[in-house]
Amino acid sequence: MSKVAVVILNWNGEKFLKKYIPALVANTPAGLGGEKVELVVADNGSTDGSIQYLKENYPQIVIIPFKENFGFTGGYNRALKQVEAEYFILLNSDILVPCNWLEPMVDFMDSHPQVGVCQPKMLSEGVHQQLCIQETGGEDLSGRFTPKGSGKEMFEYAGACGGFIDILGFPLCRGRILSDVEYDNGQYDNPMQVFWASGACMMVRSTVWRELGGLDEKFFAHMEEIDFCWRAQLAGHQVWAVPQSRVFHVGGGTLPNNSPRKLFLNYRNNLLMLYKNLPVCEGWSAFGKKRGNRNLHIFIRMCVDGLTAIIYLLQLKWSFFTSVIKAHNSFRRMKKETAVILKDNRRHQPVGIYPKSLLVSKVLGRRIKF
């Protein structure tokens, strides 16, 4: 059994593999403490030249091919059933890893057995690439080195330096609140217990992964890692950000941020996540509020979604408006099919909850910052 298995889920991502696999191979040690580190690419039925490129150039990488696209959740669930390692790292294909990206996370997990999931500091690969080009007078060497002393790296929107959640279920991060993204000046360099870790680069104990049954395939993609981390916390495992490790993420590489499909998945899956993980009789109690119940909590969230849908309609963003409506209809159907099993592990109170609404604070002109 390997110490670590770094697993990339690929779907027609040949251009990302060509750009980022060389740095991954160069900057990932073949072993740690005498134990093996394995690189794996699970392919979701790609029709481009992804598999051929890997076979011809990186025979040391293990390839797990699928005949169809099972999505982020289904692909990883099927792939990790075929992998034996103490730690799994779920890594997006659009991630640039620098030197010493892996060791800090492994050391942290080894010395903190209560931690089931962690993530590195996640910075924007786009800003990083621009800085590299500036420092080299026009040549893009972003895959070979990291700018020194620039102090201008921007956090990556999707994961930044560890994820949290507000009372209505909207995610936020250390380094990113709503659409406000900060530059990294070392302000969040302390390891911290968080609510969720980004699925773009998430390290999980294999025992925890199997205990929880992996990712929920009903999500297909988006919000599935927040659901996973919520379930991990309910089961008594901690989730941490380890900023001594850092990676650079393109973000929206596989599905653009302005995609109606992405908007649909985010709205639907967020509601599904709340339905699955909130206590039934006192839904708000998970957020420290002793009133109401799960259905009321979700109803209020859906009303807020409805207001955003109206804003999209007024902005003539018809595809975004219909995405929200379709998301709610899909959630109502999925809710009937989702069996929520109440277990004693709900006595574990999740960490990393902001007990107010981000949107209300923004409307009132209140600036929120860690």
Side-chain angles (χ1 to χ4, degrees), residues 39-228:
L39 298 180
V40 181
V41 172
D43 187 76
N44 253 339
S46 293
T47 55
D48 63 358
S50 299
I51 299 300
Q52 191 64 27
Y53 168 75
L54 292 173
K55 287 181 177 179
E56 291 177 355
N57 296 279
Y58 297 99
Q60 72 271 40
I61 294 179
V62 177
I63 300 174
I64 302 176
F66 301 128
K67 293 183 179 180
E68 60 183 285
N69 184 3
F70 292 106
F72 187 90
T73 54
Y76 267 119
N77 285 348
R78 287 163 177 77
L80 294 182
K81 285 181 180 178
Q82 303 180 46
V83 177
E84 291 293 330
E86 181 179 356
Y87 300 123
F88 298 145
I89 294 184
L90 285 61
L91 187 73
N92 273 21
S93 60
D94 58 351
I95 291 274
L96 170 66
V97 301
C99 296
N100 198 41
W101 74 281
L102 178 61
E103 293 89 332
M105 287 194 292
V106 174
D107 291 343
F108 186 87
M109 295 283 272
D110 280 348
S111 59
H112 296 80
Q114 72 276 19
V115 178
V117 187
C118 76
Q119 73 155 74
K121 178 195 295 185
M122 298 186 62
L123 302 168
S124 169
E125 207 280 324
V127 176
H128 171 71
Q129 184 181 59
Q130 294 170 15
L131 291 168
C132 288
I133 293 173
Q134 291 171 9
E135 291 194 7
T136 57
E139 186 177 0
D140 179 11
L141 299 178
S142 59
R144 299 188 222 171
F145 82 109
T146 300
K148 297 179 180 180
S150 64
K152 294 181 180 179
E153 303 286 12
M154 179 177 281
F155 285 107
E156 202 283 308
Y157 180 91
C161 208
F164 298 80
I165 196 170
D166 82 347
I167 196 168
L168 289 178
F170 288 102
L172 62 146
C173 305
R174 246 190 342 170
R176 190 275 295 175
I177 297 176
L178 294 177
S179 58
D180 296 329
V181 183
E182 298 178 42
Y183 281 98
D184 172 31
N185 294 306
Q187 67 270 41
Y188 305 125
D189 277 355
N190 58 307
M192 185 176 185
Q193 190 173 357
V194 296
F195 189 88
W196 58 274
S198 173
C201 185
M202 183 171 73
M203 187 174 197
V204 186
R205 292 185 191 276
S206 59
T207 53
V208 174
W209 178 271
R210 295 191 174 101
E211 174 190 344
L212 299 177
L215 302 171
D216 188 336
E217 294 191 27
K218 290 187 291 296
F219 284 70
F220 187 77
H222 297 294
M223 297 284 177
E224 69 288 320
E225 76 267 50
I226 305 179
D227 170 74
F228 179 85

Side-chain angles (χ1 to χ4, degrees), residues 140-360:
D140 179 11
L141 299 178
S142 59
R144 299 188 222 171
F145 82 109
T146 300
K148 297 179 180 180
S150 64
K152 294 181 180 179
E153 303 286 12
M154 179 177 281
F155 285 107
E156 202 283 308
Y157 180 91
C161 208
F164 298 80
I165 196 170
D166 82 347
I167 196 168
L168 289 178
F170 288 102
L172 62 146
C173 305
R174 246 190 342 170
R176 190 275 295 175
I177 297 176
L178 294 177
S179 58
D180 296 329
V181 183
E182 298 178 42
Y183 281 98
D184 172 31
N185 294 306
Q187 67 270 41
Y188 305 125
D189 277 355
N190 58 307
M192 185 176 185
Q193 190 173 357
V194 296
F195 189 88
W196 58 274
S198 173
C201 185
M202 183 171 73
M203 187 174 197
V204 186
R205 292 185 191 276
S206 59
T207 53
V208 174
W209 178 271
R210 295 191 174 101
E211 174 190 344
L212 299 177
L215 302 171
D216 188 336
E217 294 191 27
K218 290 187 291 296
F219 284 70
F220 187 77
H222 297 294
M223 297 284 177
E224 69 288 320
E225 76 267 50
I226 305 179
D227 170 74
F228 179 85
C229 291
W230 198 340
R231 289 188 285 123
Q233 289 205 68
L234 292 175
H237 306 289
Q238 294 181 8
V239 182
W240 280 70
V242 184
Q244 285 64 42
S245 168
R246 65 175 186 163
V247 299
F248 300 88
H249 184 210
V250 171
T254 53
L255 193 59
N257 290 324
N258 61 352
S259 162
R261 172 66 174 170
K262 185 171 185 175
L263 190 75
F264 163 81
L265 290 171
N266 277 329
Y267 274 87
R268 185 198 69 182
N269 292 348
N270 198 293
L271 291 169
L272 183 61
M273 176 182 68
L274 293 172
Y275 181 74
K276 286 180 55 186
N277 296 301
L278 285 173
V280 175
C281 296
E282 294 186 29
W284 294 62
S285 67
F287 300 83
K289 305 291 185 180
K290 297 295 184 180
R291 64 177 185 272
N293 55 46
R294 183 183 65 186
N295 289 336
L296 174 61
H297 195 152
I298 293 175
F299 173 75
I300 293 173
R301 169 56 197 268
M302 294 179 76
C303 289
V304 173
D305 289 355
L307 292 176
T308 63
I310 292 172
I311 292 173
Y312 287 137
L313 184 62
L314 294 175
Q315 293 174 339
L316 302 181
K317 296 181 178 179
W318 177 252
S319 60
F320 286 12
F321 169 77
T322 57
S323 290
V324 177
I325 303 304
K326 290 177 182 177
H328 282 197
N329 291 336
S330 179
F331 164 68
R332 292 187 183 95
R333 290 192 297 269
M334 294 179 73
K335 185 172 69 170
K336 298 177 182 178
E337 304 166 358
T338 302
V340 178
I341 302 173
L342 299 179
K343 298 181 180 179
D344 290 340
N345 62 16
R346 286 180 179 267
R347 66 180 179 272
H348 295 286
Q349 183 71 15
V351 172
I353 297 168
Y354 176 64
K356 298 180 182 179
S357 167
L358 290 175
L359 291 180
V360 170

Side-chain angles (χ1 to χ4, degrees), residues 30-43:
L32 291 171
E35 297 183 79
K36 183 180 178 183
V37 175
E38 189 174 35
L39 298 180
V40 181
V41 172
D43 187 76

